[in-house]
């Protein structure tokens, strides 16, 4: 799987790159960014995958996430894919919470979305192969995953479905139960159809209730987040992990909202947390 280089820039003792490739999963050109810390030839580095939220591209976290310094310090590669397929022939919706920029990390089964919206396969299968083929320093056996909001939903559900693949999992203000919030109900109904049983594999709380487990989990959520009560509902995740007896650290942060001011504040904590668990 070949990639094209859009840009490579020296930053924080490493290289920040932006790349494109033709995706077999989505049938479109996809853009992603990769930060690679300095390393000696032949050295292998762990990889942290970051999934972005509604309306975002790879650029949001790349430009505002403040991950480079901690990633350089811990020698962790940071990868930021896009949130959905894009292009003139890709279907879209007038709402910000569906269509382009709102892939929800599912494999759509309903027309017209099923032609391109296969973000689950893109993240779970294609992106790891792209990294393995093009970044020789990336140790794909030392893989962590995190994300924000819709991307937090993606990180949690992808890890819960593939617990042996991800050594570490965290999230910033995740949508913890799409079955029980307006964003999720719109997206899952549109992409998957009306059968709510088919939605459960894309709902972190449902996956935990159905037996999926992680060894541990870190979540940060701002208490001043205006989406907390209506969309994110962090308490549902706390209740699900308690029912399951699953180890989890869920931190409610006073005064913080849903923005990258919040994410960047706690990014170094998350990178360090992942680095500890990604030690070979």
């Amino acid at each position: 799987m070949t990639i094209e280089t859009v840009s490579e820039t020296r930053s924080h003792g490493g290289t920040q790159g932006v790349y494109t490739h033709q995706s077999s999963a989505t049938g479109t050109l996809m853009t992603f960014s990769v930060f690679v810390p300095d390393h000696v030839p032949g050295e292998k580095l762990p990889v942290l995958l970051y999934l972005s939220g509604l309306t975002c591209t790879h650029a949001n976290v790349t430009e505002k996430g403040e991950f480079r310094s901690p990633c350089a310090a811990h020698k962790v590669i940071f990868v930021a894919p896009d949130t959905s397929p894009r292009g003139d022939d890709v279907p879209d919706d007038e709402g910000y919470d569906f269509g382009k920029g709102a892939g929800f990390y599912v494999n759509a089964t309903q027309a017209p979305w099923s032609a391109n919206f296969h973000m689950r396969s893109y993240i779970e299968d294609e992106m790891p192969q792209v990294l393995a083929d093009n970044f020789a320093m990336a140790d794909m056996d030392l893989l962590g995953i995190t994300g924000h909001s819709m991307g937090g939903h993606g990180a949690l559900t992808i890890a819960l479905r593939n617990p042996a693949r991800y050594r570490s999992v965290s999230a910033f203000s995740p949508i913890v139960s799409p079955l029980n919030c307006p964003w999720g109900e719109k997206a899952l109904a549109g992409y998957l159809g009306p059968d709510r049983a088919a939605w459960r594999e894309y709902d972190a709380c449902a996956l935990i209730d159905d037996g999926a487990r992680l060894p541990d989990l870190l979540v940060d959520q701002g208490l001043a987040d205006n989406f907390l009560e209506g969309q994110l509902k962090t308490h549902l995740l706390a209740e699900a992990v308690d029912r399951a007896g699953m180890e989890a650290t869920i931190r409610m942060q006073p005064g913080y909202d849903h923005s990258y001011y919040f994410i960047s504040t706690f990014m170094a904590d998350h990178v360090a947390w992942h680095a500890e668990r990604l030690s070979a």
Side-chain angles (χ1 to χ4, degrees):
M1 295 185 183
T2 59
I3 63 175
E4 298 291 332
T5 300
V6 176
S7 64
E8 289 185 335
T9 307
R10 182 78 177 155
S11 181
H12 285 280
T15 301
Q16 178 62 66
V18 177
Y19 309 93
T20 62
H21 74 107
Q22 188 64 35
S23 169
S24 59
T26 68
T28 66
L29 192 71
M30 297 294 288
T31 303
F32 64 101
S33 74
V34 181
F35 175 73
V36 179
D38 289 347
H39 56 283
V40 300
E43 185 178 7
K44 289 282 194 175
L45 305 181
V47 178
L48 178 57
L49 193 62
Y50 177 96
L51 306 184
S52 291
L54 284 169
T55 75
C56 291
T57 70
H58 72 283
N60 296 76
V61 70
T62 305
E63 296 171 1
K64 298 185 287 188
E66 300 186 26
F67 56 84
R68 278 174 285 271
S69 179
C71 281
H74 292 285
K75 284 197 167 184
V76 172
I77 296 171
F78 192 96
V79 181
D82 203 348
T83 52
S84 74
R86 300 181 193 272
D88 293 341
D89 296 330
V90 175
D92 201 6
D93 184 81
E94 292 181 357
Y96 74 95
D97 53 356
F98 193 71
K100 294 179 187 178
F104 267 84
Y105 305 99
V106 306
N107 281 349
T109 60
Q110 303 299 298
W113 317 104
S114 55
N116 304 106
F117 281 75
H118 298 151
M119 290 302 295
R120 171 181 177 173
S121 291
Y122 180 70
I123 299 299
E124 288 185 355
D125 303 319
E126 188 169 12
M127 179 53 63
Q129 192 61 54
V130 168
L131 295 171
D133 289 348
N134 294 279
F135 297 87
M137 74 295 294
D139 189 339
M140 300 310 296
D141 291 327
L142 297 176
L143 181 61
I145 191 167
T146 187
H148 170 235
S149 195
M150 179 186 73
H153 139 77
L156 294 178
T157 56
I158 288 169
L160 284 162
R161 289 192 304 263
N162 302 277
R165 183 181 303 172
Y166 299 94
R167 295 281 192 97
S168 57
V169 188
S170 76
F172 301 88
S173 50
I175 303 170
V176 304
S177 185
L179 281 158
N180 293 291
C181 74
W183 280 341
E185 289 177 349
K186 177 179 179 178
L188 298 185
Y191 291 134
L192 304 177
D195 181 6
R196 292 176 69 91
W199 302 4
R200 293 186 68 83
E201 62 184 320
Y202 297 108
D203 184 297
C205 294
L207 284 165
I208 293 169
D209 284 342
D210 291 346
R213 296 290 184 270
L214 298 171
D216 58 5
L217 171 66
L218 172 63
V219 173
D220 275 304
Q221 172 63 58
L223 283 171
D225 189 325
N226 60 325
F227 299 117
L228 175 56
E229 296 302 322
Q231 302 282 7
L232 308 177
K233 302 187 177 182
T234 311
H235 68 280
L236 296 179
L237 179 63
E239 293 166 3
V241 299
D242 282 349
R243 286 194 297 271
M246 194 178 94
E247 186 72 24
T249 300
I250 300 176
R251 307 190 301 192
M252 307 301 290
Q253 303 289 1
Y256 287 93
D257 61 13
H258 200 67
S259 73
Y260 270 87
Y261 294 111
F262 156 68
I263 298 166
S264 64
T265 300
F266 298 100
M267 180 64 80
D269 284 358
H270 282 243
V271 170
W273 191 87
H274 283 275
E276 181 180 354
R277 287 153 181 80
L278 294 173
S279 300

